[in-house]
Amino acid sequence: IGIDIKGNRLWKGAKIALENGLKNVGFLRTRIDFIDRCFDTNEVAEIWITFPDPQMQNNRKRKRLTHPVFINRYIEILKPEGTIRLKSDSTFLYLFTQTLCKEFNFKVEVDCDDIYANLQQFPIELQNELNLKTYYEQKWLQMGKKIKYLQFQLPNSPLKNAKDFDVELERDKF
């Protein structure tokens, strides 16, 4: 199920799904803030977060899709030991999420700061999944950016003090 607030992105995805006869595809136009109202408890097996805005400004930290505020929403809808997969060109968001995983002791299954330099190290199924490139991913690769990937499991209970979590990264470096 693809989720986005922008209808044109969903329309394009739906068009491609129809053209290819895909029957296991759905789209939901909503703000991601409402994801916990769109799915029932333990309904979702995994969540892919692909090339989100890293929200580097400090006053927008709670808008980062891997911020604990969102993680707690994901915990509500994910099955036990549910998986989050982050694929991004943003070193800032990658480091922020790495720190989050360490801080809350998430089980990190895959952590790679350059997937295409290390693709052969992954199981073939993961290679195939990671080789699917979004429009933005293709654009970033042409610009010489490295694509990062984190795959981690969430705990079964909400994170405490989620709203207070912050990571001091020197934003000017990114």
Side-chain angles (χ1 to χ4, degrees):
I1 297 174
I3 300 174
D4 205 319
I5 190 65
K6 302 213 175 177
N8 62 334
R9 292 182 192 153
L10 297 177
W11 178 85
K12 184 174 182 180
K15 182 177 181 230
I16 292 169
L18 285 170
E19 288 171 351
N20 289 288
L22 302 176
K23 304 224 184 277
N24 63 342
V25 178
F27 299 93
L28 183 58
R29 185 176 183 184
T30 188
R31 288 183 32 205
I32 197 67
D33 305 68
F34 305 128
I35 193 169
D36 53 340
R37 297 178 197 150
C38 300
F39 298 94
D40 202 359
T41 303
N42 299 330
E43 185 175 3
V44 177
E46 65 182 31
I47 296 173
W48 280 80
I49 303 170
T50 55
F51 300 92
D53 184 332
Q55 306 290 351
M56 290 175 55
Q57 306 86 341
N58 199 38
N59 65 337
R60 297 190 53 82
K61 63 186 169 193
R62 288 176 158 184
K63 298 287 185 184
R64 294 177 196 142
L65 296 185
T66 58
H67 188 277
V69 169
F70 282 101
I71 296 295
N72 278 340
R73 289 180 183 138
Y74 305 151
I75 288 170
E76 281 188 44
I77 63 171
L78 280 171
K79 294 178 179 183
E81 283 83 44
T83 301
I84 300 289
R85 298 174 181 230
L86 172 69
K87 194 175 182 188
S88 179
D89 64 300
S90 170
T91 301
F92 176 85
L93 184 62
Y94 172 73
L95 293 174
F96 174 86
T97 307
Q98 254 188 345
T99 305
L100 173 88
C101 290
K102 288 176 189 167
E103 180 74 24
F104 289 100
N105 296 314
F106 295 162
K107 179 182 176 187
V108 176
E109 299 169 328
V110 181
D111 182 346
C112 185
D113 65 354
D114 187 354
I115 59 174
Y116 295 109
N118 298 290
L119 199 59
Q120 298 305 316
Q121 296 176 10
F122 302 124
I124 192 71
E125 184 177 317
L126 183 56
Q127 286 181 39
N128 292 337
E129 291 170 344
L130 292 175
N131 249 332
L132 297 172
K133 296 177 182 76
T134 68
Y135 167 80
Y136 285 103
E137 183 174 4
Q138 292 173 25
K139 186 176 171 179
W140 303 144
L141 286 168
Q142 289 173 354
M143 294 170 63
K145 290 189 175 189
K146 293 179 181 176
I147 307 303
K148 297 114 180 86
Y149 179 75
L150 269 172
Q151 181 177 321
F152 53 96
Q153 286 187 351
L154 296 181
N156 296 328
S157 57
L159 306 178
K160 303 217 184 295
N161 302 319
K163 293 179 183 176
D164 300 330
F165 179 78
D166 194 14
V167 174
E168 287 301 318
L169 298 172
E170 293 182 42
R171 290 162 178 85
D172 297 340
K173 289 185 175 182
F174 304 100

